[in-house]
């Protein structure tokens, strides 16, 4: 099982982590990961015994598809849910929204619920693109025809087919996804190398190193802009400023390595030539 990396979250998490193997042909190719319920209201004051958003982020980075579930009677996004969605930064292409139990409201109410859901998500997901929302009643019980009506019945069935199609496509897209993730990590490593080299170069040779490091940390966003403009790097490849600053606090900038152009050139060549050559070896999964 590929979960040894979760040991970093300690026994408090591992004691609550459970696995179950079920005999089903779909599960030969797909693993479902279900998170515990996100806390809301007064329950948010109760601290979990492990880093919930950290664990969520760990799984999100390795997953092929991320489903965020809502139901018509609970559209509010709590502070914890907001932090969870924030931890999915950079995984936007994997996220799908599921509006479950939609047969519990009539078509007029459902239209209002759908609008309210998109409005709530628009404040949390910092992206201009509209997320794909699956509407339906995703359980083994028959749809309530009285609430859904004939149009709702047809809509729910088509939405359910689309969701199942998305799930069935996961094994077909697995190879592409792995290569995309590898390319994403290679680009991130290249940006990281440029940032570290830049911070090293901004440090004084003799006196005032502690003050210089503190100033660089305080103006980290500006340092990112400098690196981006000087090296002509895409802004989307840069990490979160706050998370990066928090990590840098534990290091001495003066001990950082300077950039090795040959190594960066090797990464560029790999992205420009080796990856396309690798992709030519695989056939189109949709043909």
């Amino acid at each position: 099982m590929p979960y040894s990396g979760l040991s970093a979250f300690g026994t408090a998490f591992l004691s609550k982590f459970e696995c179950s193997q079920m005999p089903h042909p779909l599960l030969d190719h797909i693993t479902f990961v279900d998170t515990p319920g996100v806390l809301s209201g007064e329950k948010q004051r109760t601290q979990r015994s492990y880093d919930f958003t950290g664990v969520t982020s760990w799984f999100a980075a390795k997953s092929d598809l991320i489903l965020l579930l809502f139901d018509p009677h609970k559209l509010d996004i709590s502070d914890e849910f907001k932090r969870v969605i924030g931890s999915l930064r950079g995984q936007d292409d994997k996220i799908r929204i599921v509006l479950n139990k939609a047969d519990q409201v009539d078509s007029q109410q459902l239209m209002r619920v759908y609008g309210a859901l998109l409005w709530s998500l628009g404040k949390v997901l910092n992206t201009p693109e509209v997320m794909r929302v699956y509407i339906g009643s995703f359980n083994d019980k028959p749809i309530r025809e009285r609430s859904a009506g004939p149009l709702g019945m047809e809509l729910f069935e088509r939405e359910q087919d689309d969701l199942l199609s998305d799930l069935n496509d996961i094994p077909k897209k697995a190879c592409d996804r792995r290569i995309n993730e590898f390319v994403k990590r290679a680009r991130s490593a290249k940006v990281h190398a440029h940032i570290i080299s830049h911070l090293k170069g901004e440090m004084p040779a003799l006196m005032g190193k502690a003050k210089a490091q503190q100033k660089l940390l305080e103006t980290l966003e500006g340092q990112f802009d400098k690196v981006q403009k000087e090296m002509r790097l895409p802004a989307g490849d840069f990490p979160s400023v706050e998370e990066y600053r928090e990590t840098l606090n534990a290091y001495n900038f003066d001990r950082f390595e300077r950039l090795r152009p040959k190594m960066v050139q090797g990464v560029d060549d790999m992205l420009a030539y080796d990856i396309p050559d690798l992709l030519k070896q695989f056939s189109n999964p949709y043909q």
Side-chain angles (χ1 to χ4, degrees), residues 2-286:
Y3 303 119
S4 57
L6 290 168
S7 58
F9 297 101
T11 54
F13 167 72
L14 293 175
S15 62
K16 294 178 173 62
F17 181 56
E18 296 179 359
C19 293
S20 176
Q21 291 182 302
M22 304 291 287
H24 193 283
L26 181 63
L27 298 178
D28 291 340
H29 307 286
I30 295 177
T31 299
F32 288 95
V33 180
D34 183 28
T35 65
V38 176
L39 301 178
S40 61
E42 288 293 320
K43 292 180 181 178
Q44 291 183 84
R45 298 180 183 179
T46 306
Q47 294 293 320
R48 296 185 190 267
S49 56
Y50 60 91
D51 182 5
F52 182 70
T53 52
V55 175
T56 307
S57 182
W58 188 93
F59 275 110
K62 292 163 180 59
S63 66
D64 293 291
L65 201 65
I66 301 168
L67 301 176
L68 302 179
L69 273 75
F70 295 85
D71 70 57
H73 306 294
K74 294 180 182 177
L75 293 178
D76 61 313
I77 298 176
S78 65
D79 292 341
E80 185 175 60
F81 200 7
K82 202 176 288 184
R83 289 194 297 272
V84 167
I85 295 174
S87 73
L88 304 179
R89 183 180 181 272
Q91 316 289 346
D92 299 347
D93 58 315
K94 302 178 184 178
I95 298 175
R96 305 287 187 276
I97 312 299
V98 176
L99 180 57
N100 197 18
K101 303 177 185 176
D103 61 342
Q104 294 184 2
V105 294
D106 60 35
S107 55
Q108 187 178 17
Q109 288 175 314
L110 182 58
M111 184 178 66
R112 292 171 182 162
V113 166
Y114 180 77
L117 175 61
L118 289 183
W119 183 79
S120 298
L121 287 169
K123 296 194 297 181
V124 180
L125 293 166
N126 295 318
T127 173
E129 292 86 10
V130 178
M131 288 290 172
R132 175 67 168 96
V133 181
Y134 296 104
I135 304 171
S137 184
F138 303 99
N139 55 43
D140 54 358
K141 296 177 182 177
I143 297 171
R144 297 181 183 180
E145 195 169 352
R146 182 183 295 180
S147 299
L151 291 176
M153 289 284 289
E154 184 184 354
L155 171 68
F156 294 167
E157 287 169 3
R158 289 170 65 180
E159 289 286 283
Q160 186 166 312
D161 289 343
D162 284 353
L163 179 57
L164 289 173
S165 177
D166 226 350
L167 293 174
N168 283 315
D169 278 348
I170 289 175
K172 296 178 185 176
K173 296 177 180 176
C175 179
D176 287 349
R177 176 74 68 190
R178 284 171 187 161
I179 292 174
N180 288 342
E181 288 298 321
F182 178 75
V183 169
K184 193 187 294 184
R185 292 186 70 174
R187 291 166 68 102
S188 296
K190 177 184 167 183
V191 168
H192 174 70
H194 280 294
I195 293 170
I196 293 300
S197 178
H198 172 79
L199 294 174
K200 167 76 173 178
E202 293 291 307
M203 291 293 288
L206 296 172
M207 306 291 288
K209 292 184 178 181
K211 285 184 179 179
Q213 178 165 330
Q214 187 58 38
K215 187 177 179 181
L216 286 170
L217 284 170
E218 290 171 359
T219 60
L220 191 59
E221 191 170 357
Q223 304 304 322
F224 278 17
D225 290 339
K226 282 184 185 177
V227 174
Q228 184 196 342
K229 288 173 183 174
E230 287 174 13
M231 302 301 167
R232 297 180 181 179
L233 298 169
D237 288 349
F238 279 73
S240 163
V241 175
E242 292 303 321
E243 290 177 13
Y244 207 80
R245 182 185 287 122
E246 190 177 337
T247 305
L248 284 174
N249 271 319
Y251 293 91
N252 183 349
F253 291 6
D254 202 41
R255 294 182 180 177
F256 286 164
E257 295 282 340
R258 291 195 180 275
L259 192 71
R260 299 178 187 176
K262 281 188 178 180
M263 295 183 74
V264 175
Q265 187 59 48
V267 174
D268 288 337
D269 290 344
M270 180 265 292
L271 294 172
Y273 306 109
D274 296 342
I275 293 295
D277 288 344
L278 180 65
L279 285 170
K280 289 176 185 176
Q281 298 178 26
F282 300 97
S283 60
N284 187 337
Y286 298 102

